[in-house]
């Protein structure tokens, strides 16, 4: 049993003063502190071995001179690094010192379903003052993370990194490694943020197109204003929760604290980047430094070089960088560009590099409206052209009328929770993320990802399951196929060992990072027998993405949008795989 | 008498039209670029999915963008969309227990947890108190004040509304006020049907009414409402309103607003004449220090018509005036 008296670290650990004096919250685990010479990441306080104890509690968290209450693991935000080895067994005893139920889910880990940590799906949850003992063999390697699956606690700090060292050694050599855990922090609770969104969906959006302001840099014509108005939609609806309330963190530290990772010039540094945000998709770049992607969602990929990555919530990327004798800014801009997380990679403590300015916020395009079948990036202005060639003399665009045609999405319940059906969604697997179309440098797309070797476990799927991602921004409702999980929906049923294709069709104007528990699925991105494995996939607005999987993990698995408040608004379901072990009938 | 019929008819039309506006799916989708779309999207036959329009090429004026291009996506035999049937799950998928976790935990533990998670993922209830208008008005005939607000509590689809509005003299008490208790039910993506009870408090006799209405967001972002009332005395009245937020900057918002009241019959004892009884049309300019806290200034034309105006004038009141106003919009 763990001693419930939590270990509190002193304010301002010495190494943290490097960032230039911003007051820093106390409680960082060793791995998240400014990286010193220790290697690998995590150093002395990484939790390793077969017996690991974790303790969940409320802990004061200070940021920018303000103190709030965080939900922490072993007293720190983010939680301690759990460092395991492929092939070992691990037992994790998790004690809940909160006055509410809690849980920990091992995101991306292949575990027996009853160890997956989703209350109400795989176990009852961990009650106050109870200890739950998770135990499972480690069957994989790579960068993963853990978070609560209860009551929005992942939005209040219950997050932490997992690194699993491969039994056969890393495929790609690195001299040093660092964990870069991106997250978003608000002094408002997730529940209060959700309540505000239900009251006013654009509550946090201060980058809207206005008569005297065009944050995007592109004033809208009256005609465009009218078109969007007719649809009852907003072209600036990029992120629900923004820098208006969020501070974006690198390893638990705000931009002013300037988390710093130290390297020796010429070293190959492996950055294990984890987006552990509640609601924030990031554009990550390190100006002056090309990024070589060597793993996605924990699984190795054929190394591919890029300059910028849009990383969805819950995705992880391992990057190799080879920095020179200078400082670099690690810059993670929120997708709506209302703020950024920032750190520094430097050869010596105390160095900084210029912080790039935030780029202008993007606007949604015609493709994002689900009209990608009609044109490229012409935006709204091109629409009339395209629409005047219809058989009946044109689209006429009766506003939203043609934007909610049930014939375009059989299988969707046209409930009040569905404000649009994308008229012509297209395959967006190979598209750059929202707002990155016009960027001059290289941007990672899913079709860049490829397994390092031909895979022999890939076969053609025998059936396809189409899942429509649906929502209503005005009511702030989110769902699959038009039904919130609270409406008692039919689970998605798979037969054991069958090979299925999931096609995720995004009928909304927002990007959704969709996560399936219990599997590493094969992203259908045109790479034949080298499909990359993932556990979370960004589906761009008005587009679709497909993945295949072999249903070889019996049990019940959560399936949801990893934007926390989308999940809590109903974008959640369960995937069942039967029969179970032991021939239960 | 003609009016007596016209008003309910107009209201019925309004009630019927609003949801229709709100959700009637159009079937002109096939007009899109001459594409025959309905049913194509997920039909096993063919998918427009294989169209990967060349972004750099700009607009395709022919509208025939559904050409198979030579993108790498098509080099892969497995990517033959439509070749994979969307068949139901094999029988084995239906075998075994409904909930796998039940085998590991005592009876009841999982059932309770399932209830919790089901509620948590979409079933959350929220409560919001809105003060739409709390304002002082000055114009011909002296100063007055007015309020309009609501409490809304419940889920996404079903909600309880408590609405109140009223007005009074700045130097006196309250002239007219009302409270409504309504059940609201979502009837489309943008509109709620609201039904319940309305209690009016007036200088003359009070009125208790049955209230039925719709409220929601119309195309072009107009917030509109249409309510019909029938009193315990059998009198038909109605109220329609519309407002729109014009965002001048991120925090400065101009809100034109119009509200009209109607009556199907003369009701002398409460000063109502048949027809359109009153119209308030105005504009308010608010500054959102926070979303929940926005003081405003504005101007409003308050006009009464026909017999209603006659009753008001006979009573020494103003049937036609323009007021300057200052107020607060807030919610929590």
């Amino acid at each position: 049993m763990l001693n419930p008296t939590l270990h509190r670290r002193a304010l301002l650990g010495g190494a943290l003063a490097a960032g230039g004096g911003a007051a820093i919250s106390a409680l960082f685990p060793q791995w998240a502190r400014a990286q010193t010479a220790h290697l690998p990441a995590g150093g002395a306080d990484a939790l390793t071995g077969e017996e690991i104890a974790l303790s969940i509690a409320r802990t004061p968290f200070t940021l920018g001179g303000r103190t709030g209450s965080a939900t922490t693991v072993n007293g720190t935000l983010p939680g301690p690094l759990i460092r395991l080895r492929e092939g070992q067994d691990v037992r994790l005893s998790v004690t809940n010192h909160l006055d509410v139920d809690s849980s920990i889910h091992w995101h991306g880990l292949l575990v027996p379903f009853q160890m997956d940590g989703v209350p109400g799906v795989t176990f009852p949850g961990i009650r106050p003052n109870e200890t739950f003992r998770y135990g499972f063999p480690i069957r994989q390697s790579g960068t993963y993370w853990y978070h609560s699956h209860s009551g929005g606690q992942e939005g209040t700090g219950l997050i932490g990194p997992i690194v699993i060292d491969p039994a056969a050694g890393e495929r790609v050599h690195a001299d040093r490694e660092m964990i870069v855990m991106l997250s978003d922090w608000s002094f408002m609770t997730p529940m209060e943020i959700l309540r505000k969104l239900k009251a006013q969906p654009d509550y946090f959006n201060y980058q809207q197109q206005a008569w005297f302001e065009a944050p995007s840099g592109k004033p809208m014509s009256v005609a465009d204003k009218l078109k969007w108005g007719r649809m009852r939609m907003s072209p600036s609806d990029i992120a629900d929760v923004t820098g208006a309330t969020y501070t974006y963190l690198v390893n638990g530290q705000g931009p002013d604290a300037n988390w710093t990772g130290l390297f020796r010039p010429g070293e190959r540094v492996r950055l294990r980047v984890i987006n552990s945000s509640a609601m924030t998709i990031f554009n990550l770049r390190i100006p002056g430094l090309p990024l070589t992607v060597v793993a996605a969602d924990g699984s190795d990929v054929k190394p591919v070089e890029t300059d910028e990555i849009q990383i969805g919530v819950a995705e992880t990327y391992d990057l190799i960088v080879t920095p020179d004798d200078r400082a670099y800014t690690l810059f993670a801009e929120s997708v709506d560009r209302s703020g950024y997380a920032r750190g520094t990679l430097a050869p010596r403590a105390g160095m900084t590099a210029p912080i790039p300015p935030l780029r202008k916020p993007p606007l949604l395009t015609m493709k994002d409206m689900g009209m990608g079948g009609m044109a490229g990036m012409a935006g709204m202005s091109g629409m009339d052209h395209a629409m005047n060639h219809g058989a009946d003399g044109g689209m006429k665009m009766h506003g939203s009328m043609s934007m909610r045609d049930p014939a375009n999405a059989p299988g969707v319940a046209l409930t009040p929770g569905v404000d649009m059906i994308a008229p012509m969604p297209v395959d967006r697997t190979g598209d750059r993320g929202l707002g990155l179309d016009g960027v001059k440098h290289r941007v990672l797309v899913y079709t860049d990802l490829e397994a390092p070797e031909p895979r022999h476990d890939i076969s053609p799927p025998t059936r396809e399951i189409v899942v429509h991602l649906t929502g209503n921004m005005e009511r702030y409702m989110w769902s699959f196929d038009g039904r919130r999980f609270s409406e008692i929906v039919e689970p998605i049923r798979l037969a054991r060992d069958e090979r299925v294709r999931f096609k995720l069709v995004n009928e909304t104007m927002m990007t959704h990072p969709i996560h399936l528990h219990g599997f590493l699925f094969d992203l259908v991105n045109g790479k034949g027998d080298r499909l990359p494995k993932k556990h979370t996939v960004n589906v761009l607005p008005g587009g679709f993405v497909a993945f295949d999987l072999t249903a070889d993990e019996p049990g019940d698995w959560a399936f949801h949008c990893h934007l926390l408040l989308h999940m809590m608004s109903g974008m959640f379901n369960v995937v069942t795989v039967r029969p179970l072990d032991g021939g239960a009938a | 008498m003609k009016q007596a019929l016209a008003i309910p008819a107009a209201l019925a039309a309004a009630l019927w039209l609003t949801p229709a506006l709100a959700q009637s799916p159009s079937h002109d989708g096939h007009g899109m670029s001459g594409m025959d779309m309905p049913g194509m999207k997920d039909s096993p036959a063919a998918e427009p999915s294989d169209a990967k329009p060349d972004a750099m090429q700009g607009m395709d004026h022919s509208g025939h963008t559904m050409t198979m291009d030579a993108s790498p996506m098509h080099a892969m035999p497995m990517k033959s969309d439509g070749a994979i049937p969307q068949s139901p799950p094999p029988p084995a998928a239906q075998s075994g227990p409904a909930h796998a976790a039940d085998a590991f935990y005592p009876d009841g533990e999982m059932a309770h947890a399932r209830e919790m998670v089901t509620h948590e993922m979409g079933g959350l209830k929220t409560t919001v108190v809105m003060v739409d208008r709390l304002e002082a008005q000055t114009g011909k005939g002296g100063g007055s004040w007015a309020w309009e607000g609501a409490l809304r509590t419940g889920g996404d689809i079903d909600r309880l509304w408590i609405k109140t509005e009223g007005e009074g003299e700045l130097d006196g008490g309250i002239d007219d006020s009302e409270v409504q208790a309504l059940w609201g039910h979502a009837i489309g993506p943008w509109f709620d049907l609201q039904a319940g009870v309305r209690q009016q408090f007036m200088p003359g006799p009070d009125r208790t009414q049955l209230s039925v209405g719709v409220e929601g967001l119309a195309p072009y972002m107009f917030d509109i409402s249409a309510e019909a009332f029938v009193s315990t005395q059998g009198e038909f009245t109605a109220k329609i309103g519309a407002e729109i937020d014009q965002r001048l900057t991120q925090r400065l918002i101009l809100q034109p607003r119009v509200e009209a009241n109607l009556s199907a019959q003369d009701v002398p004892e409460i000063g109502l004449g048949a027809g359109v009884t009153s119209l308030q049309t105005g504009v308010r300019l608010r500054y959102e220090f926070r979303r929940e806290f926005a003081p405003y200034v504005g101007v409003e034309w308050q006009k009464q018509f026909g017999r209603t105006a006659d009753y008001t004038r006979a009573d020494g009141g103003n049937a036609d005036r323009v007021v300057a106003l200052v107020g607060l919009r807030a919610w929590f």
Side-chain angles (χ1 to χ4, degrees), chain A residues 332-405:
Chain A
E333 171 191 71
S334 70
V335 66
D336 68 323
R337 301 167 194 187
S338 60
Y340 58 86
R342 168 247 185 169
T344 298
L345 303 183
R348 288 167 297 284
M351 295 176 76
T352 57
I355 302 175
L358 283 167
R359 296 171 295 194
K360 293 204 178 305
L363 285 180
L364 295 169
T365 65
M366 231 168 96
K367 209 172 190 182
D368 300 321
M369 292 163 49
M371 298 188 180
M374 269 180 347
M377 258 65 76
M380 297 289 296
S381 53
M383 197 190 299
D384 278 348
H385 292 294
M387 289 184 177
N388 286 336
H389 298 276
D392 58 1
M395 269 288 302
K396 292 192 287 289
M397 266 304 277
H398 298 301
S400 59
M401 299 296 207
S402 54
M403 297 293 288
R404 202 167 175 266
D405 188 340

Side-chain angles (χ1 to χ4, degrees), chain A residues 105-161:
Chain A
H105 162 62
W106 321 99
H107 188 111
L109 263 56
L110 302 170
V111 299
F113 89 90
Q114 68 274 19
M115 296 297 164
D116 194 49
V118 183
V121 179
T122 73
F123 79 143
I126 312 172
R127 294 200 173 77
N129 302 313
E130 269 188 4
T131 299
F132 184 83
R133 289 181 176 78
Y134 295 87
F136 42 87
I138 299 299
R139 302 188 262 150
Q140 64 204 110
S141 63
T143 305
Y144 302 95
W145 63 297
Y146 58 88
H147 60 84
S148 168
H149 228 287
S150 303
Q153 290 159 8
E154 71 192 85
T156 59
L158 208 162
I159 52 175

